[in-house]
Amino acid sequence: PASRAFHVRESALFRPVRSLGMVTEDVPIVAVTLGQADFVVASIGRGFQVFECKHLRLAYIGPRLNEKIRALLCVGEVVLASLKRDIVAFYKLTELGRFRGHSQPATVLQTIGTAYLVS
């Protein structure tokens, strides 16, 4: 049995019911609004998870990739994940395509309007 001296007390007022930051990495989460619903996409190493924000419910888990995710971006319902030299586009769990040709890993993804992707 563990000693009572090492028992950590929880606050009855400030106990988290659900938390998201416990499983994410150094890649920032991405928030997106689709219609009336808000979603958050979080990197979990070689994959990503999409959470519905109202109830912090897991909407879906993206496929496991061959490389670590370095950056995330949502454009509508499409999730863009930057890997070592590629940027992979997913619609839900389906891979739409890959942008190739980076000489260095893309650590930041951003859109300019609806026509340009900057990495």
Side-chain angles (χ1 to χ4, degrees):
S3 170
R4 288 196 180 269
F6 293 110
H7 183 358
V8 177
R9 292 182 10 189
E10 286 186 358
S11 168
L13 287 175
F14 300 109
R15 182 174 26 164
V17 176
R18 296 179 187 200
S19 60
L20 180 66
M22 306 293 282
V23 295
T24 62
E25 292 197 335
D26 57 342
V27 177
I29 62 173
V30 179
V32 63
T33 300
L34 300 172
Q36 298 293 320
D38 296 315
F39 295 90
V40 170
V41 181
S43 168
I44 53 167
R46 294 182 177 205
F48 61 90
Q49 295 178 338
V50 179
F51 293 89
E52 180 264 324
C53 291
K54 186 173 183 179
H55 301 288
L56 203 54
R57 178 184 59 84
L58 185 62
Y60 62 91
I61 300 171
R64 183 153 174 88
L65 303 168
N66 294 333
E67 300 169 5
K68 179 181 180 271
I69 293 177
R70 301 180 188 286
L72 286 170
L73 176 68
C74 288
V75 180
E77 293 186 47
V78 176
V79 175
L80 298 167
S82 170
L83 305 178
K84 190 171 185 179
R85 300 271 193 247
D86 296 344
I87 297 173
V88 187
F90 292 96
Y91 174 76
K92 300 201 177 188
L93 301 177
T94 305
E95 183 176 323
L96 297 176
R98 290 181 179 246
F99 300 97
R100 299 181 186 261
H102 282 81
S103 59
Q104 297 291 321
T107 56
V108 176
L109 296 175
Q110 184 63 46
T111 57
I112 298 177
T114 58
Y116 297 100
L117 170 66
V118 179
S119 62

